[in-house]
Every structure is written in C-alpha cells, then in structure tokens.
Amino acid sequence: MIRKTPFFDIHEKLGAKIVEFAGYYMPIQYRSITEEHRRIRKSVGIFDLSHMGEIMVGGEGAWQFVQQAVTNDITPLGIGQVLYTCMCYPDGGIVDDLLVYNLGDEYLLVVNASNIEKDFDHLKSLRKSDDVTLTDLSEATALLAIQGPDAEKVMAKLTDYDLPSIKYYWSAVGEIAGIEMMFSRTGYTGEDGFELYFPAENAKTIWDAVMRASAEFDGEPVGLGARDSLRLEMKYALYGSDIDQTTNPLEAGLGWTVKLDKPDFVGKKALMDIKEIGLKRKLVAFELAERGIPRPHYPIMSGGVKIGEVTSGIFSPMLEKGIGTGYAAAESSGIGTKIEIEIRGKLIPATVIKPPFYKSGTRR
Amino acid sequence: MIPDNLKYTKEHEWIKIEGDIAVVGITDYAQGELGDIVFVELPGIGAPVLNMKPFGTIEAVKAISDLFSPLTGEVVEINSDLESDASVINTDPYGNGWIIKIKFSDRGELDGLLSAADYQAVINKV
C-alpha cells in the first residue's frame, strides 16, 4: 500500500502534482520545479520530508552500537551535533546514507524513506545484546525542512530560541510555534536551513504557522522535483540513483565519511581492501558543453568507448546547462577530463568538473 | 482549456488549419503533464514530416517526449523564439508557444484529426 504523509491533504488542496516516491504519495511540484528551485536559492521554501525514516537507538550500548554500524566516527560528536555518514554491508556495499543525531543518551538515525524497513532489519541483525534498543519512529514523526538564505528569519518568527547559536549540523530542542520539538540546522540543498521533527498529530498546526511565518519572505512550499535538482547542483548523492548496495562509499566520493582508523565497523575490512587495490571507477560530476539533459542510464563515453553510465542528471536551473553524475572508469575521472554523454544516439561533449556544480550556496 | 477552433491528436498536439498550412503545438494538458519545458529539438525548414511519425523532441526537467506530426507534408516555419526560451510552451501553449508550421500534402488526413470534444474525451480517459 502506498502511504501518505500527514501533509497529504494540504498538498492536494494546493494543487500539487503528486507522485509515488519511495512508497509514499509525495508532491513532486506545486507549480514549477524550476521556480521552486530558484526560490530556495534566493529566499526560502518549505519541504514536507515526512516520508524520511527516523530510527532511535537507545540503551547503555547505544554509542558502541552506532559506532560499529556506521562508517563515520561519532566519537567527536557533541550532544546535539549531527553527522552525515554511510552504513555499509560487510562487503563495503552501501546499506544507506543517513544522519546521526547525538541526543545525549540516545542516537537518532534519519534514513531514506525507501530504506526504512531494510535499515531497521539490518540494524536488528547487528544487535547482539539487549543493552541496545531500536525503535522505528518513522510513522509517528513529521518532518518539515525550511531551506534557503532566509530560513533563519522565518524560524525567528516561530521561536524565541537563540538561533544564531545553532551551528551548521547541530540540533536543539525548543518550542517552535508553541510545540516542543527537536530541530536542526541541516539540509540537502546547499543553502542555510532547518529541519523540524515533531509528532505527526501537530502537522497542520506547524504547517500553518510555518507558512504564515515564511509568507513575508516570499516563502512557498517546494516539491521533491526541486529537492532533487537542488541536491544534484551540490553533487549530494541520492540513494537508489548514485549509491546503493552495489556501490561503495569510496568510489561514490564519500570517502570522507569512512574513517578507516576507527577500531572496527561493519565493512571496514572490505573497504580497506578496496582502497588497497585501488578504485576501478569513480562517481564523477560532469557538465555538458552543448545543449542536452543527461538522464539516468545514458552511456558515458570516451573516444567512442563506453566507460560508464549516468546515475543522476538534470538541466541545472542555476547554471542553465545539463549537469549530471555517473560512474566512470577511474582513468577518465580526473577533473577536466573530456568525456561524452550519449543522448539518444548523439554524442554530446562534456567535462568532468570539481563539485559542487553550484558554488554560491550559503551552506556547503 | 481546449479551444473549440482547433483540431487535435491523441498524442496531445493541437492543429490550426490556415489554408494549406497547419500550425502545430502541444495542448495545455500536455504542457502540464510534461512540467517545466527546457528546450525542443526541431527539424530544419523544408524537412519532410509524416502523419503520426515523430518530427522532434520536447525536453522538460523531468521528462522527454517525442513530438508527432499530425499531417504529412513539409516544414515551412519553426518557432525560433523557442530556441532562447521554450518555457513559453508552458505559459502560452496555444499562442506564442506554437512549435512548427507544416505545408500539408494530403487534405484527406484532416479527417483523422480530433475535434475539441473528441480530444476532451481522450483526456477524460487518462
């Protein structure tokens, strides 16, 4: 059965184009993906991200358990700090990419909607003793993201909390629009922004308050179409497109989330071997030199030979050209390498660039 | 929004007959389904087109679609304004968003086109 977020009726009333995404009916756009995209870069917009999964790890052994499950190192995390990481299988393939919130006694894992059950089962399989508790809070949790250079101004209308004291990738607990909740200065757009976690039953109250607060800053709801184009302009990876169980974090350009000097974690041995042998392919970011839009599975070519496939591609609303990512043979992955993308039988010249594509984001 | 004075195809093109010239565009329904249109790939002037065969492509942010010629004939004009801004197809599909003009060679093919009412029925079924 396809699920609905607590904001579904609101999206429908607003006339959003609704599509099935990761098992949920989600708004892909309200009016125009391009317009919504530019709104986030220029002022502020609101995303319903309630489809995302939230898994709470508690108990005496929580720290050790999370440290063992993820590739990044949670040791330096202060209370309230947020960490982006991968979680791998023993063979180095990626189970998911996620955020880890250090809430003090507990750790909140925010995972991709398409992976909630899989991640929960994976974590259960890693749980070796009863000093660790795992709770799937996904259904009961609503998530709104306020993103854009004016996000803090919108938040200031909703709370007395000292917002400038919250640094990027830190969270806090406070009253937002009269509801006590956990919120963080995080996002997936390359702009400043906040993500608000609250009980699903408060959905309408919070939505209305956020919309009222954002109105004077030209804020409007933004759909998943723009979320995809915004994240790709930053070359943020998307699970299911750029990364999955058949790819490893090293070739995906996520080596910075893999701390091989940690005593142990799931996938460490395999990732050390992969690093030792050397990468055969790398996730490259490329820009088309001519008109065209690269789309998933289009061949990446070099000198008439196929060297890989596009995993994500869009027409960039900010650069106004076709941009994309894809795995290319390691020898063709260097910055500045000339490649071609085969678009319906035509070879379109492209260049491997140093990410991000969009370099003027307020946070990256 | 389906103008009565135009003809249609089930592929969501509209056709305005002006003597032996057919002006062709895509319908409001089609632009809405495609979403933000980024550009169109069109044949050159003088290129032959065939009844219900692709003559070009229309590329939107999320989708790509073939453009089908409603009639057999020859391209006599393309909307060159689309080169710099194809989003006019989104904002004015039946007006400034027209795509090509065809000098058609088989008047009999006009009988195969849909009326506004027929086209409405096609959309209702989607």
Side-chain angles (χ1 to χ4, degrees), chain B residues 40-85:
Chain B
V40 288
E41 296 255 28
L42 299 176
I45 289 166
V49 292
L50 290 170
N51 178 232
M52 290 327 286
K53 294 282 186 234
F55 69 82
T57 54
I58 188 160
E59 192 128 23
V61 170
K62 279 278 153 195
I64 179 158
S65 175
D66 280 325
L67 289 162
F68 290 87
S69 178
L71 300 165
T72 300
E74 172 189 324
V75 177
V76 290
E77 197 178 338
I78 64 168
N79 184 352
S80 54
D81 290 347
L82 300 180
E83 186 68 30
S84 58
D85 182 15

Side-chain angles (χ1 to χ4, degrees), chain B residues 14 24-26 79 82 86 88-90 92-99:
Chain B
W14 59 260
V24 178
I26 66 165
N79 184 352
L82 300 180
V88 66
I89 298 173
N90 290 121
D92 190 11
Y94 297 116
N96 292 331
W98 68 275
I99 297 172

Side-chain angles (χ1 to χ4, degrees), chain A residues 17 28-29 31-35 224-225 228-229 291-295 298 313-315 343-344 346, chain B residues 31-42 57-64 66 82-84:
Chain A
K17 187 183 281 187
I28 188 101
Q29 67 182 72
R31 285 208 301 272
S32 152
I33 292 175
T34 308
E35 194 185 295
L224 292 190
D228 186 50
S229 53
R291 196 172 75 167
I293 303 181
R295 300 196 189 266
Y298 286 0
I314 52 157
F315 186 80
I343 300 184
R344 293 181 300 283
K346 248 168 71 180
Chain B
Q31 71 77 19
E33 286 298 297
L34 279 168
D36 298 11
I37 292 164
V38 184
F39 53 77
V40 288
E41 296 255 28
L42 299 176
T57 54
I58 188 160
E59 192 128 23
V61 170
K62 279 278 153 195
I64 179 158
D66 280 325
L82 300 180
E83 186 68 30
S84 58

